[in-house]
Amino acid sequence: MASNFMRRLGTLAISKGIAVRTMATSQSRFMNTVAGGTTPTPPPPPPIETRPAVRKSDALERQKLSEFGLYVAECLPKYIQKVQITAGDELELLIAPEGVIPVISFLKDHTNCQFTNLTDIAGMDVPARKHRFELIYNFLSLRYNSRIRVKTYTDELTPIDSLCGVFKGANWYEREIWDMFGVFFSNHPDLRRILTDYGFEGHPFRKDFPLSGYVEVRYDDEQKRVVVEKLELAQEFRKFDLSSPWEQFPNFQQQIQAAEEVPIKPSPKPESPPKK
């Protein structure tokens, strides 16, 4: 009797298992039919990371910077010549030399900008250009937690308006650029050298300035003081024509786009009066 009971219990369990499997199979078939008769494919594996140390670009942030750059260009079409976004998602405004004061005053005082912190002023010398010197102004907006870079250009003879009237902290930055590059700032309250010594000749950061300099400084035991004399080299410079080891790796010579230009509308030209 007990064996008959166990046999019936096993038959009942097997039938219930078959019913459950049948129900699951029919449900999966129903879902496949509703979805179009195709089984869902697994997601593709993530791409292999080839540049882990390079900052990832944010498409949304670049769009916001592009819109803001276009807004500033529409407000100041007379001075802004180009708007671009660098590889690190940073906005750059390329302006005419006469637009330094109007553009930077706008970026400081406008309610949508408020770049009230002058971070740095830097210079760059490219002798191959017609205007060899490039000035770079870096600003920070504490209100909006954002940065912007303003670039302009000049040559050896054309002065640039001093920014001391807008930012008092520009005093020593402009003195450093005058000392290192020889860029003259008009209306500067105290434009004199700040890093080199009195009577120094030339500007060390210019590309045509010799690496050895023009003079040498030494201590004279007879005069018991530091003297400045013309440079005298004990031997001529040796010239080595050696190829760089990086030339063996052509993959590292590919040029990466440093900045992306944002197209802006050209400023409208004044209409000429009709001829009579």
Side-chain angles (χ1 to χ4, degrees):
M1 186 175 181
S3 60
N4 294 335
F5 176 75
M6 294 299 295
R7 191 182 300 111
R8 291 179 181 178
L9 185 61
T11 305
L12 181 61
I14 292 173
S15 62
K16 285 186 177 181
I18 295 174
V20 170
R21 288 196 299 269
T22 305
M23 185 180 299
T25 304
S26 61
Q27 185 177 4
S28 63
R29 290 177 179 176
F30 174 76
M31 294 299 296
N32 292 338
T33 304
V34 173
T38 58
T39 57
T41 57
I48 300 176
E49 181 61 65
T50 58
R51 303 169 64 192
V54 179
R55 178 182 176 182
K56 304 299 182 296
S57 178
D58 189 352
L60 181 59
E61 184 68 19
R62 295 179 74 91
Q63 181 181 359
K64 292 180 180 179
L65 293 176
S66 300
E67 294 175 355
F68 178 74
L70 292 176
Y71 171 74
V72 178
E74 292 177 356
C75 294
L76 301 169
K78 181 179 178 182
Y79 303 112
I80 297 181
Q81 300 176 345
K82 187 178 181 181
V83 178
Q84 62 186 16
I85 301 177
T86 62
D89 295 347
E90 296 179 353
L91 182 62
E92 291 184 352
L93 302 179
L94 281 64
I95 65 174
E98 61 271 12
V100 170
I101 299 299
V103 172
I104 294 179
S105 299
F106 175 88
L107 295 176
K108 178 185 178 183
D109 300 330
H110 197 280
T111 182
N112 293 332
C113 304
Q114 300 187 30
F115 291 96
T116 57
N117 189 349
L118 174 63
T119 307
D120 184 26
I121 304 178
M124 185 174 67
D125 181 19
V126 185
R129 297 179 182 175
K130 179 180 178 181
H131 304 280
R132 60 182 294 183
F133 298 113
E134 184 174 306
L135 300 181
I136 302 99
Y137 300 83
N138 298 301
F139 298 96
L140 169 65
S141 174
L142 298 176
R143 174 66 177 83
Y144 298 105
N145 190 23
S146 60
R147 297 180 182 272
I148 195 171
R149 186 178 298 113
V150 180
K151 293 184 178 181
T152 187
Y153 52 87
T154 185
D155 53 18
E156 299 95 329
L157 302 177
T158 306
I160 294 291
D161 292 332
S162 175
L163 207 61
C164 293
V166 183
F167 288 95
K168 298 296 183 183
N171 191 327
W172 281 17
Y173 291 138
E174 293 178 351
R175 287 179 58 187
E176 181 181 359
I177 294 176
W178 159 250
D179 192 1
M180 296 290 104
F181 294 96
V183 177
F184 186 80
F185 293 92
S186 59
N187 301 323
H188 191 282
D190 186 22
L191 189 63
R192 54 192 173 95
R193 294 184 181 271
I194 190 174
L195 296 178
T196 56
D197 201 357
Y198 297 102
F200 187 88
E201 296 181 2
H203 304 280
F205 278 4
R206 289 189 177 185
K207 296 298 184 181
D208 51 6
F209 188 86
L211 296 178
S212 59
Y214 297 108
V215 296
E216 59 181 356
V217 180
R218 66 177 181 85
Y219 181 79
D220 194 339
D221 292 332
E222 296 180 357
Q223 301 183 22
K224 303 298 181 183
R225 66 180 181 89
V226 176
V227 295
V228 179
E229 299 176 343
K230 290 185 178 182
L231 182 64
E232 293 183 2
L233 300 176
Q235 63 180 4
E236 296 181 357
F237 284 108
R238 297 179 180 178
K239 184 178 181 181
F240 298 94
D241 293 331
L242 300 177
S243 60
S244 172
W246 292 106
E247 295 178 358
Q248 309 300 327
F249 303 94
N251 291 334
F252 293 92
Q253 297 180 3
Q254 297 178 359
Q255 296 293 333
I256 301 176
Q257 185 178 4
E260 176 186 355
E261 183 178 356
V262 179
I264 59 177
K265 297 180 181 179
S267 56
K269 297 181 180 180
E271 297 181 359
S272 57
K275 297 181 180 180
K276 297 183 180 179

